[in-house]
Amino acid sequence: MAAILGNKIKMAIFGQSHAEAIGVVIYGIKAGEKIDTEKLQKFMERRAPGRDEFSTPRKEADEVIFVSGLIDGLTCGAPICAMIKNNNIKKNDYDDLKDIPRPGHSDFAAFMKFGDDFDSSGGGQFSGRMTAPMCIAGGIAKQLLETKGVEVSAAIDEIAGFQGDKMYDAMREAKKEEDSVGGIISCLIHGVKPGLGDAMFDGIEGSIARGIFGIPAVKGIEFGSGFSGSRLKGSENNDEFISDGDKIITKTNKHGGILGGISSGMPISFRVAVKPTPSIGKMQNSVNTKTKENVKMTVRGRHDPCIVPRAVPVVEAVAAFVIYDMMMSE
Amino acid sequence: MAAILGNKIKMAIFGQSHAEAIGVVIYGIKAGEKIDTEKLQKFMERRAPGRDEFSTPRKEADEVIFVSGLIDGLTCGAPICAMIKNNNIKKNDYDDLKDIPRPGHSDFAAFMKFGDDFDSSGGGQFSGRMTAPMCIAGGIAKQLLETKGVEVSAAIDEIAGFQGDKMYDAMREAKKEEDSVGGIISCLIHGVKPGLGDAMFDGIEGSIARGIFGIPAVKGIEFGSGFSGSRLKGSENNDEFISDGDKIITKTNKHGGILGGISSGMPISFRVAVKPTPSIGKMQNSVNTKTKENVKMTVRGRHDPCIVPRAVPVVEAVAAFVIYDMMMSE
Amino acid sequence: MAAILGNKIKMAIFGQSHAEAIGVVIYGIKAGEKIDTEKLQKFMERRAPGRDEFSTPRKEADEVIFVSGLIDGLTCGAPICAMIKNNNIKKNDYDDLKDIPRPGHSDFAAFMKFGDDFDSSGGGQFSGRMTAPMCIAGGIAKQLLETKGVEVSAAIDEIAGFQGDKMYDAMREAKKEEDSVGGIISCLIHGVKPGLGDAMFDGIEGSIARGIFGIPAVKGIEFGSGFSGSRLKGSENNDEFISDGDKIITKTNKHGGILGGISSGMPISFRVAVKPTPSIGKMQNSVNTKTKENVKMTVRGRHDPCIVPRAVPVVEAVAAFVIYDMMMSE
Amino acid sequence: MAAILGNKIKMAIFGQSHAEAIGVVIYGIKAGEKIDTEKLQKFMERRAPGRDEFSTPRKEADEVIFVSGLIDGLTCGAPICAMIKNNNIKKNDYDDLKDIPRPGHSDFAAFMKFGDDFDSSGGGQFSGRMTAPMCIAGGIAKQLLETKGVEVSAAIDEIAGFQGDKMYDAMREAKKEEDSVGGIISCLIHGVKPGLGDAMFDGIEGSIARGIFGIPAVKGIEFGSGFSGSRLKGSENNDEFISDGDKIITKTNKHGGILGGISSGMPISFRVAVKPTPSIGKMQNSVNTKTKENVKMTVRGRHDPCIVPRAVPVVEAVAAFVIYDMMMSE
C-alpha cells in the first residue's frame, strides 16, 4: 500500500497536490498520550515553503486541523485524523505540460502506470506537498519518542557536494541559473536501547530505508560508515566493545548503532542522498506522449532551487515514525 | 516479521545456523509454473562456500530438497517448501565466545534482544548461511521473471575500493593478514515495463531496499546516480526523454530506471555497500557480557576474507524476488 | 488494525461518535473508475437514522464529502478520502453513565482496555455511527462490482424470531415496552465467477466473517445451510453437480456458493445474527467501575428498538467490500 | 495468504495431502519458551485418524519432527519449523476422480481456480490432513497460554442434531449406510483478562472466525447466545454487571465473554457448525469437467462417517493460536 507505513502504529496518508485537503490517519496510538499541537505546528513550519530565499514563496500556512482522535490535547484511543486544507487549488498552471513529461519527474512513469485519469496537476500523489502529512504523523511520533528519552535529529550534511557556507553559494548560483542542486542529509537517533529490531527483513536498516525512500527525490541511504566503510578493512571498520560502567558500548560507531539489524545502544546514524530538484527553468528535451514528437520544454513557475533544507524535517519525521512503530511493536 | 518478505508472493524463511535444516516456504506462486531444479541448484552454487581461495572451504553441498508444492518440476498451487540439510551441526566451535561478543557481529545486539536463550552458535538466524534460503526463493523468482523477459544480474563493482585485478590483490592481502575487506555490488534489472511500482512507501526503491538490507553485512544502497547524483545540478542529473520508435526512453539513466518510485522502462540499477567481513583473525578488544570485564579476543576458524563474491547471487536473488512479487501484485 | 479492512483494496476508517467528523480513506482503487455520488448518497440513506418509526429521529443527513481521490466523479488513483461531519457534537448526554457500564454495551470492555482516556461519549469508536464510513467504502465497492456483473443484496430474514408482518409487531411492542429486539439478516451475492477465494485462511467464509463481525452487534454468521446443515446427512447436504449448457452448476445450494473456501459460481449466501439493541429504557443492574458499588440504571434518550433494518445496508456494504477486494487481489 | 494466520505470531503452513511432508513454520515466539514436545504429541493424537470406529484406520503416526527453532525443548528465537512426514504417498487412489468433482468437496472450485496443474490427489491443500500443522502451531500456543492461566477447551455439542448417546447411534447408522453426519463443536476459553481485542475489524469474534473458517467443513460460527440470542429481547440478552470482590463480572454470559469485540473477563464461548463429511459411499450425480457429461459416481475408499470428533482439537488449536497471537500483539 503506497500510502501506508507501519505495523503496530500506522500512518495512512490521503490527498493529492490539488485535492480539497491532504492529511493522514494514524492508527495504534494508545489512549491518554499527550500531543502538544503548538509544538507540532512549529515542526510543520520547518517543512513549509517560503521560509527563506531558496524555497517557493509561502502560499499556505500548512495549518494542521485535527478531525478525530484527540480531545483536549490527549489521544482518546480512536484513530487520529489530521488534515491540511489546500487553499490554492489552481490546476491550470500545469495544463500545458499535461502530455509532456518533465525530465527527472514522476510524470512519465505515473502516466505509464495510471494513464490519462491520473490527476497529474501539481504532481498529484507524487508532489513534495505529500510530505506534509508525513510530518504530521512523524512529528507526533517524535514527541512521543521524546517522552521515552529518544531524540531524532537530522541536518544538512552536504549541498551540491559542499559543506559549510559554500552550500549557500551553490544554492544561490543554481537559483540565478534557473538550475537546481541536491545534497545529503544526515540523521542521528539518540536514546534507542540495545535490542530493538530483528534479523533479516525486519532489521532497523531495512525498516528505515523503506520509509525514507517514500520521500520524493531520495535516491540513496547508508548507515554508519556505509559506502565508505566498504572500502575499509575489517580491522578498521569493526567497532570494538568496551565497558562503560554498567553498560557495554563501542569505542567508535562505524556500525551506525545497528548490528545484525538490531540496535546496539549506540546512536543510530544514517545519511540520505537527495537528488537535485528536477523542476528547473532551463530548457530541456522531452517527448509529447500523445504524438511521440520530440519537443523542447521549460518548467515554468517558481521552484525551490534546492529542496534539501525542507527535506530535513521530513527525514526526521519518517525516521521518528519508523522507530516509534518498532518500539511499540516489540 | 523478520523472516518473511513479500506481499502477493511471500518467502518465509526458517532455520538457524546449526538447526537440522534451513529452508524457505514460498507462498503465492500459481499452479503450473515450470521450475528448473537443476538450474536452481547451479544458481545455489554461486553462493555456496568453497568455490575459490577467498571463501571458507566447502563443507556442504547446499543441496535443495523440495518438500512440497512441486510435482515433476511444475508448481501445483500449494506452498513450495524447500530445505537444505545442515550436515555439520557442530555447536562447540563458538562456545568460548558465548559471552564475548565479536566486534562488528550481531552477537551483542542479539544477546541484548534475545538474552541467553538465543541460539548464538554459528550466528543463529544472523548467519550468512541464512542467505541460502533467500537464494532458493529468489532463484525461483529469477527463473519465472526470465519467462517474462526480465533479467536480473549483479556483479562486483568494487572490492576494498578497487576495481579490476587489484580487487583480487586486496583480497589476497587481507587473507594473509587475517583481516578482511568489503566492497560494492552493482545490480541491473532489464526488461521491467514502465509503470511498475507506486508512489510513496511502495516505490521500487523502498521495496528493493527493505529486501536488500535483509542480507547480512549490507550497510548502504543507492539507485541510479545515487550519492554522486546529489552532487550534480538538476540540468546534469535529469534524464531527458527522447522518442525511440514507438517507445519513449531517456538518453541517460541517472534515475536508475525509477521515477517517483515507478519504473520508467529503462534498466533498473542500484549499488549495494557490503561491509568487510567482521570475522577476522586479528586480535580485537571486546567485553565479557557477564562479568563486564574488558578482554582481548580473536575469532578462530577459517573465515572468508571477503564475502562480496558470494553475496552477488544473493543480491540478484533478493532483487528478483522483490520485482517478481511487485509484478504479481499489480 | 481495528479500523482497517482489506488487502489490495483497503478501507481505513477514522473518527469516533463525537469527533468533528467520521470518515474513511480507501486505498487501491485504480484511476478512471466512475463513482456515482448521488447513488452513493442514496445508499447511505438506507442506513441513516430517522427513516421510520423504529429508528432514532433523524438529526443529521450523513452527507458524504469527498476530500480527495475523486475528480468530476472519476477516481484519479490517489487514495479516496470521504467524510461525514458530525453536526451534533453533544457529549453531555452520556456523562452520568461515565462510570456505569451499560449492560450489553462495549462500555465496560472498552474501559478495561483503554482506561479513563477513552472517549466513551456516544460509544466512541464502538458507536453504531461508525458503520456510516463502512457504508461509504462498501457502497463504492458495490457500484464497482455492478460494472462486473456482481450484485450484493441483503434483506431482513427474521426479527425477534418472526418473519413477515409479525416482525413489525415485535418491533412496535419492544418500543412500547422500552425494550429491544434483534434479528437475522440474509445476504446473497450473485455473479461471482467460480474460482475466487483460496484454501484455509483466505477462504471466502473467513474473509467475509472477519468483515461482518466488524459490524457492532453481530454475534453469528453461517454460510449456506450453516448450523441447520450440520444436522443433515452428507447425502442430504451435498449439492450434486449438473451440466447447464457450457457451465457446471449444482442442483441445490446448501454450500452457499463456497466449497473449500472458493466460489463455485453458485450464489454466495450467508446469514448474520444481530443481537437485540443493548440500549433499552428498562431499569437494569450495573456496577460503578470506580466505587465498585452495585447500582440500578436506565439508558436514557431515544434508541432504536431494533437496529436490524439499518444494519441491512451495512451487511451489504461490508460483503461488497470484501468480495471486491478479493476480486482485485486475484 | 491462504496458509498464513496471525499478526505478531504467525503460523505459515506448507505441504499438500500427498507431498513428502506437511508442516508449519511459527514466527514470533520469543526465545526461552518451554515447549513440552511429548504433550504436544499427545495433543496431535486427539486429531489423528484411527482412534475409534468412526475415523479412517490409522496409517501414520503424525509424528512431529522439529527442524529448527527448538533446542532441548526451549525456543531459541529463530522461527520454529515442525513437520510430519507423509509415509503413504499413493496418488493413484483418486485418479479416476480426476475429472469428476465430488459433491460437497473443494474439487470443482479448486479446479476452476487452479486448473489442471492443481495437485488434487487426496485433496491437496484442501485435505483435512492440513489440519495437522494447525494442531502443531495451536498445540504450542495452547501450552504457552496455560503458563498465562488461559485454558482453551472444545467439545462435541451436537452430532446430527443429537446430544448424548444418540450422537454415537447416528454416527454408527451413517457408517452403515455409507453416509455421513455433521455436528456442532462448542469451545470455551477461560482466563482471558478483560480488555483483549479491539473495535471493528480486530474484534475477538472476527479474529477467531477468520481462523476457524480455515478449518475444512466449517460453515458457521456464533458467539455467546449467537443466533438464538437474536430471538431474545434486549432485557433478556443483556448481561447485567455485578460486583464480585475486586472484580466486575456479569451474572449471565449471553455475550460469550466479548463486548464490542473486546474481552469482558467472562469465559469466551463460541459454537462451530461442521457440515457432514462430503465423502460418502452412496452414489451421487456429478459432471465430467472435461466432457461436461452428467455422470454417476461414488467416493471409494474408507472415510470418516463423521469428522466432528477429530475436528474438536483443531478448533481448540486454532482458537488457542488466535488468542495467543492477540495477547502477544497487545
Side-chain angles (χ1 to χ4, degrees), chain B residues 86-153:
Chain B
N86 281 332
N87 303 313
N88 187 36
I89 316 183
K90 274 202 307 182
K91 302 200 183 173
N92 302 352
D93 282 14
Y94 302 85
D95 259 17
D96 57 340
L97 288 179
K98 196 164 171 22
D99 298 330
I100 300 170
R102 294 165 293 171
H105 265 281
S106 61
D107 304 353
F108 174 69
F111 168 74
M112 294 304 284
K113 181 178 181 70
F114 295 106
D116 274 330
D117 295 304
F118 174 61
D119 175 22
S120 60
S121 56
Q125 290 168 267
F126 299 86
S127 164
R129 185 149 175 71
M130 297 312 292
T131 58
M134 294 181 194
C135 283
I136 299 175
I140 288 173
K142 208 165 124 73
Q143 288 189 19
L144 297 174
L145 282 177
E146 280 164 15
T147 68
K148 295 172 185 298
V150 176
E151 295 280 341
V152 182
S153 59

Side-chain angles (χ1 to χ4, degrees), chain C residues 1-5 11 13 101-106 108-110 112-114 125-126 130 134 158-161 173 177 179-184 194-202 205-207 209-211 213-214 218-224 226-227 229-243 245-248 251 254-256 258-264 271-280 282-289 292-294 318 330, chain D residues 1-5 11 13 101-106 108-110 112-114 125-126 130 134 158-161 173 177 179-184 194-202 205-207 209-211 213-215 218-224 226-227 229-243 245-248 251 254-256 258-264 271-280 282-289 292-294 318 330:
Chain C
M1 274 299 131
I4 301 182
L5 184 70
M11 67 160 100
I13 292 174
R102 293 166 294 172
H105 264 281
S106 61
F108 174 69
M112 294 305 285
K113 181 179 180 69
F114 296 106
Q125 288 168 267
F126 298 86
M130 298 311 292
M134 293 180 194
E158 283 186 16
I159 282 179
E173 192 189 7
E177 293 174 353
D179 208 331
S180 67
V181 288
I184 295 171
L196 186 75
D198 215 329
M200 291 187 261
F201 305 118
D202 274 354
E205 290 107 331
S207 300
R210 194 198 157 205
F213 279 115
V218 168
K219 296 299 274 188
I221 191 167
E222 60 178 3
F223 292 83
F227 279 89
S230 78
R231 290 160 191 142
L232 298 177
K233 293 189 175 171
S235 58
E236 297 163 334
N237 196 58
N238 283 352
D239 299 302
E240 294 183 315
F241 292 103
I242 48 168
S243 256
D246 258 12
K247 293 193 300 180
I248 294 168
K251 282 190 216 173
K254 299 264 177 31
H255 67 291
I258 310 165
L259 290 167
I262 297 176
S263 62
S264 69
R271 294 189 348 133
V272 176
V274 179
K275 72 179 183 185
T277 326
S279 294
I280 57 175
K282 287 197 162 177
M283 185 156 295
Q284 296 176 92
N285 294 305
S286 186
V287 177
N288 185 306
T289 54
K292 300 281 156 64
E293 283 174 319
N294 291 322
V318 172
E330 291 273 288
Chain D
M1 275 299 131
I4 301 182
L5 185 69
M11 66 160 100
I13 292 175
R102 294 166 292 172
H105 264 281
S106 61
F108 175 69
M112 294 305 285
K113 182 179 181 69
F114 296 107
Q125 289 169 267
F126 298 86
M130 298 312 292
M134 294 180 194
E158 283 187 16
I159 281 180
E173 191 188 8
E177 294 175 352
D179 208 331
S180 68
V181 288
I184 294 171
L196 185 75
D198 214 328
M200 291 187 260
F201 306 117
D202 274 354
E205 291 106 331
S207 300
R210 193 196 158 204
F213 279 115
I215 306 171
V218 169
K219 294 300 274 189
I221 191 166
E222 61 179 1
F223 293 83
F227 279 90
S230 78
R231 292 162 189 139
L232 299 177
K233 292 188 176 170
S235 58
E236 297 163 335
N237 196 59
N238 283 351
D239 299 301
E240 294 184 315
F241 294 102
I242 49 169
S243 257
D246 259 12
K247 293 193 301 179
I248 295 167
K251 282 190 216 173
K254 299 263 177 31
H255 68 291
I258 310 165
L259 289 167
I262 298 176
S263 63
S264 69
R271 296 191 342 136
V272 176
V274 179
K275 73 179 181 185
T277 326
S279 295
I280 56 175
K282 288 198 161 177
M283 184 154 298
Q284 296 177 92
N285 293 304
S286 186
V287 177
N288 184 306
T289 54
K292 300 281 156 64
E293 284 175 317
N294 290 322
V318 171
E330 292 273 287

Side-chain angles (χ1 to χ4, degrees), chain D residues 1-47:
Chain D
M1 275 299 131
I4 301 182
L5 185 69
N7 292 301
K8 182 104 175 225
I9 315 292
K10 283 193 205 294
M11 66 160 100
I13 292 175
F14 60 87
Q16 70 263 33
S17 185
H18 286 170
E20 291 295 316
I22 58 177
V24 65
V25 192
I26 309 164
Y27 296 90
I29 295 181
K30 63 181 211 286
E33 296 283 4
K34 197 175 153 35
I35 311 293
D36 184 334
T37 53
E38 261 181 66
K39 191 172 170 183
L40 179 68
Q41 194 60 51
K42 274 186 193 135
F43 180 69
M44 297 303 295
E45 274 161 31
R46 288 176 56 198
R47 193 213 71 90

Side-chain angles (χ1 to χ4, degrees), chain A residues 1-5 11 13 101-106 108-110 112-114 125-126 130 134 158 160-161 173 177 179-184 194-195 197-202 205-206 209-211 213-214 218-223 226-227 229-235 237-243 246 248 251 255 258-260 262-264 271-278 280 282-289 292-294 330, chain B residues 1-5 11 13 101-106 108-110 112-114 125-126 130 134 158 160-161 173 177 179-184 194-195 197-202 205-206 209-211 213-214 218-223 226-227 229-235 237-243 246 248 251 255 258-260 262-264 271-278 280 282-289 292-294 330:
Chain A
M1 275 296 130
I4 301 182
L5 186 70
M11 67 160 100
I13 293 175
R102 294 166 293 172
H105 264 281
S106 62
F108 174 69
M112 293 305 285
K113 181 179 180 71
F114 296 107
Q125 288 169 267
F126 298 86
M130 298 312 293
M134 294 180 193
E158 283 186 15
E173 193 189 3
E177 294 175 352
D179 208 331
S180 67
V181 289
I184 295 171
D198 215 328
M200 292 189 260
F201 306 116
D202 273 355
E205 291 108 330
R210 193 197 158 204
F213 278 115
V218 168
K219 294 300 275 188
I221 192 166
E222 60 179 4
F223 293 82
F227 279 89
S230 78
R231 290 160 190 140
L232 298 176
K233 293 188 175 171
S235 58
N237 196 59
N238 283 350
D239 300 301
E240 294 184 317
F241 293 102
I242 49 168
S243 256
D246 259 10
I248 295 168
K251 283 190 214 171
H255 68 290
I258 310 165
L259 289 167
I262 297 176
S263 63
S264 69
R271 293 189 348 133
V272 176
V274 179
K275 73 178 181 185
T277 326
I280 56 174
K282 287 197 161 176
M283 185 156 296
Q284 296 177 90
N285 294 304
S286 186
V287 177
N288 184 307
T289 54
K292 300 281 156 65
E293 283 175 319
N294 290 321
E330 292 273 286
Chain B
M1 275 299 131
I4 300 182
L5 185 69
M11 67 160 98
I13 292 175
R102 294 165 293 171
H105 265 281
S106 61
F108 174 69
M112 294 304 284
K113 181 178 181 70
F114 295 106
Q125 290 168 267
F126 299 86
M130 297 312 292
M134 294 181 194
E158 283 186 18
E173 194 190 3
E177 293 174 352
D179 209 332
S180 67
V181 287
I184 294 171
D198 215 330
M200 292 188 258
F201 306 117
D202 274 353
E205 291 106 330
R210 194 198 158 203
F213 278 115
V218 168
K219 294 299 274 189
I221 192 166
E222 61 179 2
F223 292 82
F227 279 90
S230 78
R231 291 158 191 142
L232 299 177
K233 291 188 177 171
S235 58
N237 196 58
N238 282 351
D239 299 301
E240 294 183 314
F241 293 102
I242 48 167
S243 257
D246 259 12
I248 294 168
K251 282 190 216 174
H255 68 291
I258 310 165
L259 289 167
I262 297 176
S263 62
S264 70
R271 294 190 345 135
V272 176
V274 179
K275 72 179 183 184
T277 327
I280 57 175
K282 288 196 159 176
M283 184 156 296
Q284 297 177 92
N285 293 304
S286 186
V287 177
N288 184 306
T289 53
K292 299 281 154 64
E293 283 175 319
N294 290 322
E330 291 272 288

Side-chain angles (χ1 to χ4, degrees), chain C residues 36-44 66 136 139-140 143:
Chain C
D36 182 335
T37 53
E38 259 181 66
K39 192 174 169 183
L40 179 67
Q41 194 61 50
K42 273 185 194 136
F43 180 69
M44 296 302 295
F66 282 90
I136 299 175
I140 288 172
Q143 288 189 19

